[in-house]
């Protein structure tokens, strides 16, 4: 009996314990809900996220990967997707390579430029007369060949088509070419007779100044003052002769090719510029030549003048680019400016990418202003000095640089031919620092349209405005040169970016959208599912079965 009662009590106690345990577990579930979940495995979480992404993404073709499809369809869409990725990547790589290798494009500006925003060109006039032969004035060579005549002859050999003296030693070592050129210089007012500028008759000696070039003495109009063109240690007297008191009426520091004229600059400034187009608003020069004074032993039976038109900050090389002016002709030269500018975005590129030099990028040894012509002239000077041990008297040089004499003429001609035969920027034997003459990022050139007609100077006898021709310079031939702008506005070219950052991003987005339907939000969506959505799915886990 007691045993039966004890067994019953034990059974009831066991049932009560089990019952109490179930209640405790239920209460524990309410107190801690996470206790009824297991943490998902990484593989399972990734699979669920991939299925959710494929079902909801906006990327083309991905929804088929998250559906229960036959294997043939899945293989088909995989092939299509791979082809799309290949084509999309190929096009993007091409766009990137083009942006990387050719980031700059030259195109026309979207607006025209008035001619008063640029200077009138520098006009360099060189007579074919290197020395005036006049028996009456004693300028002809005599039988008594003295030292002065020898100096003149040796000077002419550097300018005329003459053969070199094949001698090891020069005849004269203390040659002063500038002094000889001044002595042989024809009378200024007899050759530049009358000048007309912007509606006014002006004395030619107020417009033109003598300069020393590879063709001897020439006359320049609208050129920058030498202190703004050459370095301080360059021998300036061998290139230009301008009285210092002639310049203060103009402010040459208010213009540069890169910046243009200052905003508050008056129209009557320097370099000179025009406010109108047409022949009546330009430069007109009456030139004279006297056949009985020509030295035909210099350049043959050639008379007249050579005229060069270029930017005021350029130094001319007369033997390369010129317009020939014949006598008894009226020559009309209409100018069409050709200007290239550079956008600020391209200016921030390296010179090797934009393929041009800013003035700050390329510092020349002799010139303060960089231009391709100045660089080429300096390169020729350096190469001539390297090969010949001297330079031509018209080349820029320092005080300790020797000037070539008559025994070095052949060497000078060889240097000129060598430099003309090869591209300056790719010559292997020439240092790249000296001859890397890329174009200037801002350049100005003047294209010309030339027309001419017969000019009868004898008909001027009855015209009172030209009495100076009849009485001061009889027996000469006359030519009239008119230089003017053809139109009052012109279209400039501009170096700009092929693709800026915005354009590059738009091109990439267009290709991605065309082939795959991907946008910025699609990329954000991918990052969201791979990070925040995956972490949230793994931490919530899955309920126990």
């Amino acid at each position: 009996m007691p045993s039966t009662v004890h067994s019953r009590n034990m059974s009831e106690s066991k049932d009560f314990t089990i019952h109490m345990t179930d209640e405790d577990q239920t209460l524990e579930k309410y107190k801690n809900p996470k206790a009824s979940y297991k943490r998902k495995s990484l593989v399972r979480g990734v699979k669920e996220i991939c299925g959710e992404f494929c079902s909801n993404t906006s990327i083309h073709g991905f929804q088929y990967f998250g559906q229960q499809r036959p294997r043939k369809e899945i293989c088909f869409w995989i092939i299509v997707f791979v082809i799309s990725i290949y084509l999309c990547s190929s096009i993007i790589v091409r766009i990137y390579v083009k942006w990387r290798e050719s980031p700059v494009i030259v195109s026309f500006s979207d607006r025209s430029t008035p001619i008063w925003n640029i200077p009138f060109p520098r006009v360099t006039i060189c007579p074919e007369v290197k020395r005036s032969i006049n028996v009456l004035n004693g300028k002809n060579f005599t039988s008594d060949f003295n030292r002065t005549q020898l100096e003149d002859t040796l000077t002419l050999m550097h300018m005329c088509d003459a053969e070199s003296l094949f001698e090891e030693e020069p005849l004269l070592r203390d040659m002063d070419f500038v002094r000889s050129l001044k002595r042989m210089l024809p009378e200024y007012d007899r050759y530049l007779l009358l000048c007309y500028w912007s509606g006014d008759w002006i004395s030619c000696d107020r417009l033109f100044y003598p300069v020393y070039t590879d063709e001897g003495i020439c006359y320049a109009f609208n050129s920058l003052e030498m202190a703004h063109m050459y370095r301080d240690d360059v021998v300036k007297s061998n290139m230009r002769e301008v009285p210092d008191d002639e310049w203060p009426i103009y402010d040459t520091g208010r213009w540069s090719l890169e910046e243009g004229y200052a905003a508050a600059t008056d129209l009557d400034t320097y370099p000179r510029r025009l406010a109108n187009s047409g022949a009546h608003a330009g430069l007109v020069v009456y030139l004279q030549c006297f056949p009985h004074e020509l030295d035909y032993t210099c350049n043959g039976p050639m008379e007249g003048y050579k005229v060069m038109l270029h930017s005021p900050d350029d130094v001319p090389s007369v033997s390369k680019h010129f317009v020939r002016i014949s006598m008894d002709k009226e020559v009309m030269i209409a100018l069409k400016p050709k200007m290239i500018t550079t956008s600020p975005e391209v200016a921030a590129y390296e010179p090797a990418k934009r393929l041009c030099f800013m003035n700050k990028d390329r510092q020349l040894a002799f010139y303060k202003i960089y231009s391709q012509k100045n660089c080429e002239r300096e390169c020729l000077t350096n190469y001539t000095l390297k090969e010949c041990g001297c330079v031509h008297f018209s080349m820029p040089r320092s005080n300790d640089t020797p000037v070539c004499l008559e025994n070095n003429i052949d060497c000078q001609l060889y240097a000129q031919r060598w430099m003309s035969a090869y591209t300056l920027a790719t010559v292997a034997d020439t240092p790249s620092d000296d001859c890397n003459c890329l174009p200037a990022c801002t350049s100005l050139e003047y294209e010309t349209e030339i027309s001419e007609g017969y000019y009868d100077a004898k008909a001027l006898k009855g015209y009172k405005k030209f009495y100076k021709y009849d009485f001061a310079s009889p027996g000469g031939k006359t030519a009239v040169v008119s230089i003017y702008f053809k139109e009052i506005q012109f279209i400039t070219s501009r170096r700009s970016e092929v693709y800026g950052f915005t354009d590059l991003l738009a091109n990439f987005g267009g290709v991605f959208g065309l082939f795959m339907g991907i946008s910025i939000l699609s990329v954000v969506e991918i990052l969201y599912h791979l990070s925040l959505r995956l972490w949230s799915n793994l931490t919530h886990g899955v309920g126990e079965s």
Side-chain angles (χ1 to χ4, degrees):
M1 185 70 182
S3 60
T4 303
V5 175
H6 177 73
S7 298
R8 186 184 301 169
N9 292 336
M10 291 293 293
S11 175
E12 291 176 357
S13 176
K14 183 177 180 181
D15 293 340
F16 177 78
T17 303
I18 294 173
H19 179 69
M20 292 299 294
T21 302
D22 293 339
E23 289 180 354
D24 292 342
Q25 290 177 356
T26 303
L27 291 174
E28 185 68 19
K29 289 180 182 179
Y30 284 104
K31 292 180 180 179
N32 187 11
K34 293 184 179 180
S36 63
Y37 290 88
K38 291 183 179 179
R39 187 178 295 273
K40 290 182 181 179
S41 66
L42 179 62
V43 176
R44 183 175 180 181
V46 171
K47 286 183 178 180
E48 290 183 0
I49 292 299
C50 288
E52 180 183 342
F53 174 76
C54 293
S55 300
N56 299 305
T57 184
S58 61
I59 301 177
H60 299 167
F62 259 82
Q63 63 269 23
Y64 297 105
F65 300 144
Q67 301 174 1
Q68 296 296 329
R69 296 274 182 174
R71 290 185 177 181
K72 293 181 179 180
E73 293 186 14
I74 294 177
C75 292
F76 169 77
W77 283 109
I78 289 176
I79 293 173
V80 171
F81 189 73
V82 171
I83 293 175
S84 297
I85 291 178
Y86 171 76
L87 295 176
C88 181
S89 302
S90 300
I91 295 176
I92 287 177
V93 168
R94 291 182 182 179
I95 294 174
Y96 177 77
V97 170
K98 183 178 180 180
W99 173 77
R100 187 72 179 177
E101 295 182 354
S102 302
V104 179
I105 185 173
V106 179
S107 58
F108 290 111
S109 177
D110 55 353
R111 62 182 62 185
S112 59
T113 302
I115 58 174
W116 53 81
N117 283 356
I118 61 172
F120 194 78
R122 168 176 170 170
V123 181
T124 305
I125 300 178
C126 297
E128 290 290 350
V129 178
K130 307 306 177 186
R131 70 182 181 101
S132 178
I133 298 179
N134 194 329
V135 179
L136 297 178
N137 294 336
K139 290 189 177 182
N140 196 8
F141 290 155
T142 62
S143 58
D144 184 12
F145 201 72
N146 53 33
R147 178 184 172 88
T148 301
Q149 294 176 346
L150 178 60
E151 290 179 353
D152 295 348
T153 302
L154 296 179
T155 302
L156 289 171
M157 292 182 65
H158 290 269
M159 301 180 295
C160 301
D161 298 332
E163 296 182 358
S164 176
L165 296 177
F166 295 97
E167 296 185 9
E168 297 182 0
E169 297 295 330
L171 298 178
L172 296 176
R173 290 188 175 274
D174 54 344
M175 280 288 299
D176 189 344
F177 293 99
V178 175
R179 183 180 60 187
S180 298
L181 288 173
K182 290 180 180 179
R183 186 168 52 244
M184 295 185 295
L185 178 66
E187 296 178 12
Y188 181 89
D189 56 348
R190 297 176 71 244
Y191 282 79
L192 273 70
L193 182 61
L194 295 171
C195 293
Y196 176 91
W197 166 251
S198 186
D200 296 321
W201 292 98
I202 303 176
S203 177
C204 292
D205 58 1
R206 294 191 58 191
L207 298 179
F208 288 87
Y209 298 96
V211 293
Y212 299 97
T213 68
D214 49 355
E215 290 278 331
I217 292 182
C218 299
Y219 303 98
F221 163 77
N222 208 35
S223 173
L224 287 185
E225 200 268 331
M226 60 181 178
H228 292 89
M229 297 177 63
Y230 299 102
R231 301 287 180 187
D232 295 335
D233 56 346
V234 177
V235 182
K236 302 178 179 62
S237 61
N238 283 3
M239 289 165 287
R240 167 186 291 260
E241 183 185 85
V242 181
D244 294 335
D245 58 353
E246 295 289 341
W247 294 101
I249 57 175
Y250 299 109
D251 184 5
T252 57
R254 300 176 66 87
W255 175 84
S256 67
L257 189 57
E258 292 183 354
E259 301 296 333
Y261 290 99
T265 306
D266 295 333
L267 183 63
D268 188 14
T269 184
Y270 205 79
R272 294 177 173 89
R273 54 180 175 172
L274 292 174
N276 206 348
S277 60
H280 64 283
L283 174 69
V284 181
V285 184
Y286 285 76
L287 303 172
Q288 279 194 311
C289 178
F290 302 92
H292 62 276
E293 296 184 4
L294 289 175
D295 184 5
Y296 294 107
T297 62
C298 184
N299 290 327
M302 187 66 64
E303 62 181 25
Y305 292 83
K306 295 178 180 178
V307 176
M308 282 193 62
L309 305 170
H310 47 89
S311 178
D313 58 357
D314 270 342
V315 177
S317 180
V318 183
S319 59
K320 289 185 176 181
H321 313 285
F322 60 87
V323 176
R324 187 174 296 280
I325 305 298
S326 303
M327 306 312 297
D328 293 333
K329 298 287 185 179
E330 181 178 11
V331 182
M332 309 292 290
I333 302 178
L335 302 175
K336 295 192 299 181
K338 179 182 177 182
M339 189 174 186
I340 300 179
T341 59
T342 300
S343 65
E345 295 79 12
V346 173
Y349 282 44
E350 294 294 328
K353 286 188 176 181
R354 50 178 144 88
L355 298 179
C356 66
F357 281 130
M358 305 290 289
N359 199 40
K360 62 181 180 180
D361 298 330
R362 187 79 160 85
Q363 297 294 322
L364 300 178
F366 300 123
Y367 302 98
K368 291 183 178 180
I369 302 172
Y370 178 84
S371 69
Q372 191 172 27
K373 293 179 181 179
N374 290 350
C375 180
E376 291 176 358
R377 186 168 179 81
E378 181 170 300
C379 184
L380 177 60
T381 301
N382 293 334
Y383 185 75
T384 304
L385 180 62
K386 176 184 175 181
E387 293 296 321
C388 308
C390 58
V391 297
H392 193 268
F393 67 84
S394 65
M395 292 180 175
R397 61 184 179 88
S398 57
N399 286 319
D400 56 350
T401 303
V403 178
C404 292
L405 301 176
E406 71 275 2
N407 60 326
N408 299 116
I409 292 179
D410 282 343
C411 184
Q412 295 181 70
L413 296 176
Y414 165 77
Q416 294 177 6
R417 290 193 299 267
W418 187 86
M419 293 297 291
S420 300
Y422 298 93
T423 303
L424 294 173
T426 58
V427 175
D429 296 335
T430 306
S432 59
D433 292 340
D434 295 335
C435 287
N436 187 16
C437 295
L438 294 175
C441 290
T442 303
S443 61
L444 177 61
E445 297 179 355
Y446 300 88
E447 296 181 348
T448 59
E449 291 183 1
I450 302 175
S451 60
E452 64 177 29
Y454 178 71
Y455 184 79
D456 188 4
K458 296 179 181 179
L460 294 175
K461 292 181 179 180
Y463 196 31
K464 61 180 181 179
K465 285 188 177 182
F466 296 92
Y467 67 92
K468 184 177 179 181
Y469 170 83
D470 295 320
F471 297 100
S473 304
K477 294 183 178 181
T478 305
V480 181
V481 181
S482 298
I483 305 172
Y484 57 92
F485 284 113
K486 183 178 181 180
E487 297 177 351
I488 199 170
Q489 292 184 332
F490 64 98
I491 301 296
T492 61
S493 299
R494 184 177 178 87
R495 287 186 178 89
S496 55
E497 290 181 309
V498 176
Y499 300 117
F501 177 77
T502 304
D503 300 325
L504 191 66
L505 186 64
N507 276 276
F508 285 174
V511 174
F512 276 121
L514 177 64
F515 286 93
M516 304 179 65
I518 297 179
S519 64
I520 295 296
L521 292 179
S522 301
V523 177
V524 174
E525 188 179 30
I526 294 174
L527 297 176
Y528 164 74
H529 279 84
L530 292 178
S531 57
L532 184 63
R533 189 71 184 90
L534 178 61
W535 176 79
S536 177
N537 195 8
L538 292 177
T539 54
H540 279 75
V542 62
E544 292 182 354
S545 58

